[in-house]
Amino acid sequence: MRVLNLVPSEDASAYRGQVRALRDRGVDCATLAVPGAHVPGECSRSALDYLVHFGQTLRAARTDFDVVHANQGVVAPTALAAVGLPTVVSLWGTDLYGPLGPVSRRCARLADATVVMSEAMADALDADCRVVPHGVDTEKFRPEPRTDAREKLGWGDGRRVLFPYSPTREEKNYPRAERVVDAARDRLDAEVELHTVTGAPHDEMPTYMNAADALLLTSDHEGSPNAVKEALACDLPVVATDVGDVSERLDGVSPSAVAATDDGLADALADVLASGERSNGRQHVETLDRDWTARELEAVYRTALGNA
């Protein structure tokens, strides 16, 4: 099977891992990314960039491909324009909940098969779809001694909270993370430092996960945030808003918590930091690896071929 993947950018580690896992299963994957510099969470491409991508897709679709897979709603219209090929549309989160939502919904209903990241997204879409969250690399993301990880980063003592996103991404709500950490610091009357990590090589993220005492997610909306699953694979406690599939992922994980209010998040974070314990998260995420995701996507491709 040959799959033409359309993506806004090849930079996403979740996408790169998805392609590697599919190739391991014998699925021949090619990628066409929108040209130009990509800034996560920002409209950094011009109309001309998307027009060029459209032309590239039309030319590629005339060659020997079986399926076109639009990875994110922003490239779904281009995939649907590749007349004659079955189309799969994957929605990741912001493309459904953000300004592009109406376009993504329309494209999802026109595609031969649609993938979303969580049951919450499936409910919001209200159309035929399959829930296939991105898998986590459980070989790369695994527990390490905290002291070793901190030494690698040059972190000293004190309680460290990880926010693995750019503070400029509005949907991640960094101001709320600052408020929550300030409140937790007051509750503990102790040093608590908030570390934002953005732009670091993905291979370095397991070190940050193992060096931190907790991961804090304050997003307004999500699909299936990979940072949460990667934290669980490292046994890093997570405190998060109830977005995407986070509640499902944290079910049975301790210490970790989901909360709706700033006070609730601050109380949960203070409790996690006071305990100083690692979580039992890895046992809850080990089956959600990239091979599982690849198997599910291969089944989706076959569904699309049958529906076309």
Side-chain angles (χ1 to χ4, degrees):
M1 183 186 300
R2 294 197 72 211
V3 179
L4 176 61
N5 285 281
L6 306 185
V7 292
S9 169
E10 292 185 73
D11 293 342
S13 59
Y15 171 74
R16 296 197 305 270
Q18 170 184 301
V19 168
R20 284 195 296 270
L22 283 166
R23 286 174 175 160
D24 288 344
R25 293 190 58 79
V27 178
D28 186 2
C29 295
T31 299
L32 273 179
V34 179
H38 174 60
V39 180
E42 297 182 15
C43 297
S44 54
R45 266 60 169 278
S46 68
L48 179 60
D49 291 329
Y50 283 97
L51 184 60
V52 169
H53 188 245
F54 177 77
Q56 293 172 335
T57 301
L58 290 183
R59 288 191 294 274
R62 297 191 191 105
T63 61
D64 190 22
F65 285 101
D66 300 299
V67 177
V68 175
H69 184 180
N71 294 270
Q72 296 191 41
V74 69
V75 291
T78 300
L80 289 167
V83 179
L85 286 177
T87 303
V88 174
V89 170
S90 284
L91 303 180
W92 289 14
T94 300
D95 47 3
L96 178 62
Y97 297 117
L100 193 64
V103 174
S104 297
R105 292 169 191 273
R106 178 63 175 164
C107 290
R109 289 179 171 88
L110 293 173
D112 296 296
T114 299
V115 171
V116 294
M117 298 292 118
S118 67
E119 293 292 348
M121 288 184 68
D123 292 341
L125 181 61
D126 193 24
D128 287 341
C129 59
R130 188 162 179 158
V131 177
V132 185
H134 288 129
V136 63
D137 186 342
T138 53
E139 290 300 314
K140 178 186 296 183
F141 287 87
R142 56 190 309 112
E144 299 176 16
R146 187 184 311 176
T147 52
D148 293 351
R150 288 196 173 187
E151 185 175 346
K152 291 178 186 177
L153 298 175
W155 288 6
D157 295 333
R159 296 172 173 91
R160 311 278 179 158
V161 178
L162 183 63
F163 184 87
Y165 305 106
S166 168
T168 63
R169 294 183 64 180
E170 289 187 11
E171 76 277 10
K172 303 300 182 183
N173 204 339
Y174 178 69
R176 188 177 199 184
E178 289 186 304
R179 294 197 305 270
V180 169
V181 169
D182 286 345
R185 186 183 297 116
D186 290 342
R187 284 162 169 73
L188 293 170
D189 191 23
E191 178 188 349
V192 180
E193 188 166 350
L194 177 61
H195 291 271
T196 60
V197 179
T198 181
H202 194 243
D203 287 346
E204 294 180 7
M205 290 309 299
T207 302
Y208 286 97
M209 298 281 185
N210 282 290
D213 296 289
L215 182 139
L216 178 61
L217 182 117
T218 50
S219 298
D220 297 326
H221 54 76
E222 290 279 358
S224 177
N226 256 41
V228 168
K229 291 173 283 189
E230 291 166 351
L232 295 181
C234 295
D235 284 340
L236 175 64
V238 176
V239 174
T241 48
D242 189 5
V243 290
D245 65 351
V246 171
S247 288
E248 178 185 353
R249 297 292 155 226
L250 295 187
D251 185 25
V253 177
S254 178
S256 285
V258 171
T261 65
D262 283 13
D263 280 344
L265 290 166
D267 287 342
L269 182 60
D271 288 344
V272 165
L273 295 177
S275 75
E277 297 176 359
R278 304 305 279 180
S279 79
N280 62 340
R282 187 173 178 83
Q283 70 186 58
H284 292 270
V285 79
E286 280 184 311
T287 58
L288 191 62
D289 60 12
R290 286 175 170 173
D291 183 61
W292 176 87
T293 298
R295 292 197 306 271
E296 292 292 303
L297 286 179
E298 189 177 3
V300 171
Y301 296 152
R302 299 195 184 284
T303 297
L305 285 165
N307 290 343

